[in-house]
Amino acid sequence: MLGEDHSLVNEFPTHKDKIVALTQSDTAFATQAKRYHLLDSEIRKLELNNAPIDDEAFHQLKFERAELKDMLYLKITNA
């Protein structure tokens, strides 16, 4: 679905407390989470505005977001 919110709290609502705690206590997590949210925001804007971007570049953005999401999820579940 176009324009879906894939924020970490939205994706992992049962881990909200851990996400908040890690964001405050782990600078590496906070940096990766910030990058994830920026990518998510950029992807949503592109989807909603039909911005001119080629498919390969768009898929690369989504791939990077998915990789970050996986890494962040591992940190969340191991905390």
Side-chain angles (χ1 to χ4, degrees):
M1 182 185 226
L2 295 179
E4 271 187 58
D5 178 7
H6 290 279
S7 65
L8 290 176
V9 174
N10 194 47
E11 292 290 299
F12 311 118
T14 59
H15 298 291
K16 181 181 178 180
D17 293 338
K18 284 184 183 179
I19 293 167
V20 170
L22 283 168
T23 301
Q24 294 172 351
S25 66
D26 184 334
T27 54
F29 180 90
T31 300
Q32 288 176 327
K34 182 177 181 178
R35 175 69 183 141
Y36 175 85
H37 288 290
L38 290 172
L39 275 171
D40 184 50
S41 177
E42 182 178 355
I43 290 167
R44 275 187 284 145
K45 286 177 189 173
L46 290 169
E47 288 175 337
L48 294 172
N49 296 325
N50 291 324
I53 185 171
D54 64 53
D55 285 344
E56 187 174 331
F58 190 63
H59 288 295
Q60 183 59 38
L61 290 174
K62 286 186 166 187
F63 179 77
E64 187 177 344
R65 179 180 65 183
E67 281 190 317
L68 275 171
K69 181 178 173 182
D70 289 345
M71 290 185 333
L72 292 165
Y73 181 74
L74 283 175
K75 288 186 175 188
I76 292 165
T77 56
N78 289 328

